[in-house]
Amino acid sequence: MKRAHNTRRLNIFSPEIFLPVFVAAFYLAGLVLVQFSLRALVVVTIGIAVYLAVTMLTGRFVDGRGSGMPSEQGFLPEGYFERLLLALLVVFLVDLALKGALPITIRVPLYLVLISGVFLLLGRVGSKLTGFHYLALGLVMILVYVVPAFARYGLYGVYLNRTGGLMPAFLVGMGTITTIYGLLKIASGLTKNRLFAMIGFITLIAGPLMAAIIGYRAYAIIYIMPLIFQYYLERKPAYGIKAGGKAAAVIIAIFLYTYFATSVARGAIYAMVPLDPGKAPERVVASMNAGHYTDKDMVVTNKEARQKFITRPLFTYRVFLDVLDRSFPWGTSHGKLILSLMPGITKGRATTISILKKPLSTSFFGLSFLEFGFAGVAFYAALLGFCLAVLSRLKDLKVYALVLTIIMLWLDTGPSVWWHWLPFVSAVVIFVAALSVDLIKPKIAGP
């Protein structure tokens, strides 16, 4: 009898199908509708080929090692993501106190020791928080980030929240991923009707509002899509071409609606308080200028902005072509941009400013090629293949649902936000921990 996790490979949301299909479709649209580029075709082909090879090799290794374990929904251990998440929350609270007192070179090794200690301690204690605990904790972190800007500058606080706010930006990132995980835990215990009601509330009200007050569409999309993926992974697996096509259509429709609705909601606030130096607080104007942002670019009711909104994916593809021209064949920044994403570094999300002069989205493979060219793309693809193969074999697929959402966001932005990497890091931790404590059992030989 075949194991269920092997059958899951026929699902459109399996790692062997989901990422290659969505990534290839994005770049194919650019190649056909914008500009054909042999370099782009070669880079994307190499990236997807490396990803598939590593995904299948990792899957075979894990499946082979675990074939003696009785489970129908995967067999890798649970709980490591929660422990890693809580350990990072402790570290970031400590960072609030030490950021101005110690240089980053001292804080980093200190935090690595602290993360390890908290991680191991949580494993020994064995305490588990409920979904409502994670939801409350995440919302508190987000409100601590958002409220001060509004309290001090009114609706102009939206601009400050977009560029960093009055509080450290990691609060909203960690708060977001903590809240999402709480929602996913809550959703597992809901009836189908209540789950749909929760998804509807977030899609129609909470999501657009979140995008408006923080200034990024991603903060709304990443609340909605994991719940959709979780539904198809846990309750209605999309096996076969027909079911997979229907599920893909639902995913794309909700994604596009959310993208549009959040843009309108965000633009409505910017339209209410234009970034006029004569009216807007000086600090707000300076903060937006420093990030190369303008309010006009983000108001969908503006004709020029509306055109940019519609053609944004095509524009991102053009940025990718520009990256290839500047960085061919072995990259340009050589690690500088990746380091700028690390927590505690003051450069923030300005991933591409030093190279492209603006914080432009570089598309799925753009950032890795900008850093190390073909080598960067190969390593990045291999890392993704390993992580998705591991996470798709967890007993609990909540983290995998979150990763699928991040993959969709990376079609435009690329891996340019550090907290997006947390679930991927957890895949490495889970795999190493499983091997070290022999939770992945060797295959039992026959008589």
Side-chain angles (χ1 to χ4, degrees):
M1 179 178 177
K2 291 184 178 181
R3 293 169 56 83
H5 64 263
N6 287 330
T7 307
R8 230 177 12 239
R9 293 180 181 178
L10 302 176
N11 191 323
I12 188 176
F13 301 118
S14 68
E16 294 88 351
I17 298 177
F18 180 83
L19 186 148
V21 168
F22 277 85
V23 172
F26 172 84
Y27 283 110
L28 181 62
L31 288 166
V32 173
L33 299 177
V34 181
Q35 177 183 335
F36 179 82
S37 168
L38 182 59
R39 285 183 177 180
L41 180 61
V42 171
V43 169
V44 173
T45 301
I46 290 175
I48 293 178
V50 171
Y51 167 83
L52 284 172
V54 174
T55 300
M56 289 186 284
L57 287 173
T58 303
R60 288 178 182 176
F61 174 79
V62 175
D63 292 344
R65 295 279 290 180
S67 60
M69 295 195 67
S71 173
E72 295 186 355
Q73 291 186 335
F75 46 85
L76 289 173
E78 301 179 66
Y80 287 92
F81 176 76
E82 294 187 16
R83 288 162 59 184
L84 181 62
L85 178 60
L86 293 174
L88 285 173
L89 291 178
V90 172
V91 168
F92 292 143
L93 290 175
V94 173
D95 186 62
L96 284 176
L98 298 183
K99 198 166 187 177
L102 295 176
I104 187 66
T105 53
I106 296 179
R107 298 203 313 272
V108 167
L110 175 64
Y111 293 160
L112 290 176
V113 174
L114 183 58
I115 288 175
S116 302
V118 175
F119 185 86
L120 294 174
L121 178 61
L122 290 172
R124 291 197 172 189
V125 173
S127 60
K128 292 185 177 180
L129 300 180
T130 67
F132 289 100
H133 289 140
Y134 284 104
L135 177 62
L137 180 60
L139 289 176
V140 167
M141 298 182 72
I142 292 173
L143 291 175
V144 168
Y145 175 88
V146 169
V147 170
F150 282 105
R152 185 168 180 179
Y153 295 103
L155 288 180
Y156 285 107
V158 174
Y159 295 102
L160 279 181
N161 285 330
R162 179 177 177 81
T163 58
L166 300 177
M167 294 292 290
F170 72 73
L171 282 172
V172 72
M174 290 301 300
T176 296
I177 204 167
T178 304
T179 307
I180 296 165
Y181 189 72
L183 289 173
L184 290 170
K185 287 178 73 73
I186 293 172
S188 293
L190 296 178
T191 64
K192 183 177 179 180
N193 289 337
R194 290 187 176 183
L195 172 63
F196 287 167
M198 182 172 74
I199 293 174
F201 172 76
I202 297 174
T203 303
L204 299 174
I205 300 174
L209 180 62
M210 178 68 67
I213 64 177
I214 296 180
Y216 286 104
R217 284 183 296 266
Y219 285 113
I221 293 173
I222 206 169
Y223 271 91
I224 298 167
M225 299 311 298
L227 295 171
I228 308 296
F229 284 122
Q230 184 186 26
Y231 171 74
Y232 281 109
L233 290 170
E234 294 184 351
R235 305 193 187 205
K236 193 177 181 180
Y239 298 128
I241 296 177
K242 184 177 180 179
K246 288 182 178 180
V250 171
I251 292 290
I252 294 172
I254 294 178
F255 182 86
L256 292 177
Y257 164 80
T258 305
Y259 186 82
F260 178 77
T262 53
S263 296
V264 172
R266 185 184 65 177
I269 289 189
Y270 288 129
M272 293 170 63
V273 284
L275 195 63
D276 185 343
K279 298 179 181 179
E282 183 178 346
R283 175 172 180 177
V284 173
V285 176
S287 180
M288 289 290 284
N289 289 338
H292 300 272
Y293 297 115
T294 67
D295 60 332
K296 300 297 186 298
D297 291 332
M298 294 175 280
V299 181
V300 180
T301 54
N302 177 279
K303 182 178 180 180
E304 182 179 354
R306 185 165 60 248
Q307 184 178 3
K308 289 181 179 179
F309 166 77
I310 295 173
T311 61
R312 171 64 182 266
L314 306 181
F315 172 74
T316 301
Y317 175 77
R318 287 194 179 279
V319 175
F320 175 63
L321 296 183
D322 187 27
V323 167
L324 296 185
D325 290 339
R326 297 182 184 216
S327 306
F328 196 85
W330 303 117
T332 301
S333 49
H334 299 150
K336 294 179 182 178
L337 300 182
I338 293 177
L339 291 176
S340 74
L341 301 177
M342 298 299 173
I345 303 295
T346 58
K347 294 180 181 179
R349 191 179 177 272
T351 312
T352 57
I353 286 180
S354 62
I355 305 297
L356 303 177
K357 307 306 179 186
K358 281 190 175 183
L360 302 174
S361 297
T362 59
S363 83
F364 192 79
F365 288 117
L367 180 59
S368 56
F369 198 92
L370 188 63
E371 287 282 65
F372 298 106
F374 284 107
V377 168
F379 178 80
Y380 168 64
L383 180 60
L384 292 183
F386 170 82
C387 290
L388 266 69
V390 170
L391 292 175
S392 66
R393 286 163 172 78
L394 292 176
K395 295 178 182 178
D396 187 346
L397 293 171
K398 295 180 183 64
V399 182
Y400 184 60
L402 177 58
V403 162
L404 295 183
T405 302
I406 292 173
I407 293 299
M408 291 194 76
L409 293 175
W410 281 359
L411 291 180
D412 179 39
T413 67
S416 59
V417 181
W418 68 265
W419 55 271
H420 282 181
W421 281 101
L422 180 56
F424 294 93
V425 173
S426 72
V428 179
V429 174
I430 289 167
F431 186 81
V432 173
L435 289 179
S436 64
V437 298
D438 199 29
L439 287 176
I440 300 179
K441 298 294 184 182
K443 186 174 182 178
I444 301 174

